[in-house]
């Protein structure tokens, strides 16, 4: 029985380690400027990772010091957490399926349209109240200003692989036909394009295209890329936790069977 408990403790220690990538994925999202402004996914991921860590720790303590009720708590709670983590993996994948950008002639970067993203993501930015808070947060960053330092000539900028956020928020949409002066300063044509975003562009460095739908789309495209990367980490941890949980369940079941067999044998002796 002692050997079985040590095996279960070792398995639970692995589960404890598997919670670290989940927490790390949430912290990584929180450090990204766009996610820090939107504040949607990072805290649920961090909280879920911390709870998985605590439950795995409870299972480790229960196995190592033979506290049977802690082991039972671990089995029930970890099953619930695995289901929640799996649901989160599926949810993130489903809301990030749509939203790829479109190429424009003579441009290396892509353009993005808001209506091509999932409705759930669109609702995160369509509300004027929500967007005002996000917009103020985005405009306080130096992401757009950095473009002026890196690209001084039009052709260099047109050949640059800038981020979706920079493409949508730091410059006017390509179909507006603006003339390049620097990445965040453009000369408007006599007749603006058909897009409403063309009239929303401003050369004021605190305004730029932060009021444009293209900025909302660029932000969502950035989130989509980062969330899908985080989802891969969550998926790996999810599969690892399933394997560890099954191993712990089998080991505990074998330990209980061995204990019952010994009691039965002692009864006959």
């Amino acid at each position: 029985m002692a050997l079985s408990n040590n095996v279960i403790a070792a398995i639970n220690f692995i589960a404890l380690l598997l919670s670290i990538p989940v927490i790390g994925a949430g912290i990584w999202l929180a450090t990204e400027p766009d996610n820090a402004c939107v504040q949607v996914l990072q805290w649920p991921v961090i909280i879920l990772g911390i709870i998985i860590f605590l439950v795995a720790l409870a299972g480790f303590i229960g196995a190592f010091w033979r506290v049977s009720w802690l082991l039972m708590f671990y089995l029930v709670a970890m099953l619930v957490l695995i289901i929640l983590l799996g649901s989160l993996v599926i949810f993130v994948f489903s809301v990030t399926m749509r939203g790829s950008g479109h190429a424009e002639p003579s441009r290396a970067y892509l353009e993005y349209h808001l209506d091509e993203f999932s409705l759930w993501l669109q609702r995160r930015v369509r509300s004027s109240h929500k967007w005002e808070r996000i917009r103020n947060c985005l405009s306080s960053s130096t992401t757009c200003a950095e473009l002026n330092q890196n690209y001084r000539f039009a052709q260099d900028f047109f050949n640059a692989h800038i981020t979706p956020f920079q493409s949508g928020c730091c410059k006017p949409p390509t179909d507006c036909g603006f003339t390049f002066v620097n990445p965040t300063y453009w000369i408007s044509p006599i007749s603006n394009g058909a897009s409403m975003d063309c009239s929303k562009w401003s050369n004021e460095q605190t305004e730029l295209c932060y009021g444009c739908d293209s900025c909302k789309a660029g932000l969502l495209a950035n989130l989509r890329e980062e969330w899908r990367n985080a989802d891969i980490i969550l998926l790996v941890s999810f599969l690892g936790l399933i394997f560890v949980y099954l191993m712990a369940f089998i080991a505990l079941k074998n330990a209980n069977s061995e204990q019952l067999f010994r009691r039965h044998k002692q009864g006959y002796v």
Side-chain angles (χ1 to χ4, degrees), residues 3 15 46 51 59 88 110 118 137 140-141 143 146 148 165 184 188 208 211 226 241 244 259:
L3 179 61
I46 291 173
I51 295 175
L88 182 61
L110 302 177
S118 67
C137 178
S140 65
S141 73
T143 306
E146 291 171 357
N148 294 330
F165 168 72
T184 61
S188 172
L208 300 179
E226 293 165 3
L241 285 171
V244 167
Q259 188 177 21

Side-chain angles (χ1 to χ4, degrees), residues 114 118-127 130 220:
L114 186 58
S118 67
L119 291 176
W120 188 88
L121 279 178
Q122 289 184 45
R123 285 196 291 268
R124 307 281 74 76
V125 296
R126 280 200 181 277
S127 166
K130 290 181 180 178
L220 293 184

Side-chain angles (χ1 to χ4, degrees), residues 97-174:
M97 288 181 65
R98 299 170 52 196
S100 57
H102 297 277
E104 292 286 344
S106 304
R107 301 291 189 271
Y109 49 76
L110 302 177
E111 299 281 344
Y112 300 88
H113 301 287
L114 186 58
D115 56 2
E116 294 178 350
F117 292 87
S118 67
L119 291 176
W120 188 88
L121 279 178
Q122 289 184 45
R123 285 196 291 268
R124 307 281 74 76
V125 296
R126 280 200 181 277
S127 166
S128 58
H129 173 71
K130 290 181 180 178
W131 182 248
E132 189 62 30
R133 177 185 61 80
I134 296 171
R135 172 180 173 168
N136 291 336
C137 178
L138 294 174
S139 62
S140 65
S141 73
T142 60
T143 306
C144 292
E146 291 171 357
L147 292 176
N148 294 330
Q149 301 173 5
N150 297 331
Y151 307 104
R152 297 186 181 276
F153 301 103
Q155 200 56 47
D156 292 338
F157 181 69
F158 297 155
N159 292 333
H161 294 278
I162 59 178
T163 66
F165 168 72
Q166 290 172 326
S167 174
C169 302
C170 303
K171 64 169 192 59
T174 301

Side-chain angles (χ1 to χ4, degrees), residues 137-244:
C137 178
L138 294 174
S139 62
S140 65
S141 73
T142 60
T143 306
C144 292
E146 291 171 357
L147 292 176
N148 294 330
Q149 301 173 5
N150 297 331
Y151 307 104
R152 297 186 181 276
F153 301 103
Q155 200 56 47
D156 292 338
F157 181 69
F158 297 155
N159 292 333
H161 294 278
I162 59 178
T163 66
F165 168 72
Q166 290 172 326
S167 174
C169 302
C170 303
K171 64 169 192 59
T174 301
D175 59 10
C176 292
F178 282 44
T179 301
F180 177 93
V181 176
N182 67 41
T184 61
Y185 195 97
W186 299 70
I187 297 175
S188 172
I190 296 176
S191 176
N192 272 344
S195 172
M196 289 293 294
D197 285 350
C198 300
S199 59
K200 293 178 181 178
W201 167 260
S202 171
N203 285 319
E204 289 292 329
Q205 297 301 292
T206 56
E207 295 293 329
L208 300 179
C209 219
Y210 292 122
C212 304
D213 282 350
S214 64
C215 184
K216 298 176 182 179
L219 174 64
L220 293 184
N222 249 40
L223 294 180
R224 177 180 179 271
E225 290 182 6
E226 293 165 3
W227 287 14
R228 288 179 80 87
N229 290 336
D231 204 36
I232 294 173
I233 298 173
L234 298 181
L235 176 61
V236 172
S237 296
F238 169 68
L239 296 176
L241 285 171
I242 290 177
F243 177 76
V244 167

